[in-house]
Amino acid sequence: MNRLDGKVALISGAARGIGAQTARRMAEAGAKVVIGDVLDAVGNETVKEIVSGGGEARYVTLDVTLEADWTRAVDEAVSHYGGLDILVNNAGLFIGQDFEEVGVETWNKLVAVNLTGVFLGTKMCAPALRERGNSSTHGSAIVNLASVAGLVGSQLDPLYSMTKGGVTLFTKSTAVAFGRKGDRIRVNSIHPGVIETDMGAHTFVARAAQVGTNDVEDARAQSLKMHPIGRLGVADDIALGIVFLASDDAGFMTGSGLVVDGGYTAQ
Ligand code: NAI
């Protein structure tokens, strides 16, 4: 189940957090993994850890907002590993400020990473994914990191929510568009609840600031209350879902959203 033997994956924003854990799980499942990020030192450490555990991985500097970086990242996958079967559009930013206080410069940065990054990743990887998709049983796969904030409104960060809502529908639209063109590329999104990563910690700080305190522990407790399952998520909860969506076990899934949120959106 959920094996990725012989597959090549490119994961953006995979130096740390959900992306790094996805890289570890994909390598364990038999994939060769290209980790792209702007945090070169952290990314190289993650690669070292995967390789020392017996996995295959490489690091490439990838700022998802730059077309030339995507070209280099795809070249890295094709020249070293022979092609590309899986793209995970994982890199993302969270602002966590009242939208009435956010300037256009900050907004543009958010859009550049959360939306332009997903557009460019999909566009620049499509030719390589198309090629491998035509010769594999269930085609190639793209997994986009959306969020619960891409399904329901976020009082914490409406701007982040707007970008993740965009990712949700870009996922469905590209699934339909690839299908229409006869391309064997499945596209699905994943929708995490609050996950204990650097970004998760940032949401607690933002939640505390919203009520005028710096009591991050209380904010964390408030956040926990929004998850009926009784705990916050960890990166592995999401990584396992991404591996499933990328694997042939999800061969009849495209244009779908996998909600992994501890019940956050069930209420
Ligand atoms: P994180 O902040 O721990 O990691 C994000 C990674 O993206 C970092 O390694 C960072 O260097 C990289 N990144 C940022 N800008 C980049 C750029 N321009 N080019 C390439 N890489 C860049 O965040 P986390 O929690 O691992 O989030 C991963 C994804 O999951 C994001 O898309 C996020 O929006 C989404 N998500 C996270 C949730 C959470 O509670 N942590 C909840 C729902 C969704």
Side-chain angles (χ1 to χ4, degrees), residues 55-76:
E56 281 197 67
R58 304 182 65 80
Y59 178 77
V60 62
T61 301
L62 168 63
D63 180 337
V64 294
T65 68
L66 302 177
E67 210 161 335
D69 280 18
W70 277 108
T71 302
R72 204 178 46 234
V74 175
D75 283 353
E76 186 84 9

Side-chain angles (χ1 to χ4, degrees), residues 2 13-14 29 40 45 55 61 70 74 77 95 98 114 118 122 137 144 153 163 183 200 224 251 253:
N2 296 347
D40 294 349
E45 273 309 305
T61 301
W70 277 108
V74 175
I95 300 178
D98 186 328
N114 290 12
V118 177
T122 305
T137 317
N144 294 326
T163 64
D183 292 329
L224 197 150
M253 284 181 74

Side-chain angles (χ1 to χ4, degrees), residues 11-21 36-40 42-43 59 61-66 69-70 89-94 109 112-114 117-118 144-150 160 163-164 167 190-204 227 233 235 238 242 260:
I11 312 173
S12 71
R16 69 179 189 204
I18 292 170
Q21 187 57 20
D37 207 296
V38 290
L39 301 176
D40 294 349
V42 186
Y59 178 77
T61 301
L62 168 63
D63 180 337
V64 294
T65 68
L66 302 177
D69 280 18
W70 277 108
N89 279 311
N90 167 77
L93 291 183
F94 170 84
K109 202 171 149 201
V113 177
N114 290 12
V118 177
N144 294 326
L145 267 287
S147 170
V148 289
Y160 176 78
T163 64
K164 293 300 184 178
V167 172
I190 191 158
H191 302 264
V194 176
I195 309 299
E196 303 242 37
T197 61
D198 290 61
M199 186 182 289
H202 185 176
T203 70
F204 307 143
H227 296 74
I238 308 308
I242 296 171
V260 185

Side-chain angles (χ1 to χ4, degrees), residues 12-145:
S12 71
R16 69 179 189 204
I18 292 170
Q21 187 57 20
T22 302
R24 291 184 195 103
R25 284 291 188 182
M26 285 196 167
E28 269 172 37
K32 299 178 177 77
V33 183
V34 178
I35 288 179
D37 207 296
V38 290
L39 301 176
D40 294 349
V42 186
N44 277 308
E45 273 309 305
T46 303
V47 163
K48 226 190 265 174
E49 183 204 321
I50 291 171
V51 171
S52 69
E56 281 197 67
R58 304 182 65 80
Y59 178 77
V60 62
T61 301
L62 168 63
D63 180 337
V64 294
T65 68
L66 302 177
E67 210 161 335
D69 280 18
W70 277 108
T71 302
R72 204 178 46 234
V74 175
D75 283 353
E76 186 84 9
V78 173
S79 62
H80 289 281
Y81 293 143
L84 185 65
D85 303 276
I86 297 162
L87 164 68
V88 184
N89 279 311
N90 167 77
L93 291 183
F94 170 84
I95 300 178
Q97 271 176 274
D98 186 328
F99 74 93
E100 292 185 63
E101 280 158 25
V102 173
V104 162
E105 209 174 301
T106 304
W107 160 247
N108 286 340
K109 202 171 149 201
L110 180 76
V111 169
V113 177
N114 290 12
L115 289 176
T116 307
V118 177
F119 155 55
L120 285 181
T122 305
K123 175 183 164 178
M124 304 303 285
C125 293
L129 292 170
R130 180 176 293 126
E131 193 177 324
R132 289 281 273 232
N134 285 335
S135 59
S136 68
T137 317
H138 288 288
S140 299
I142 299 176
V143 182
N144 294 326
L145 267 287

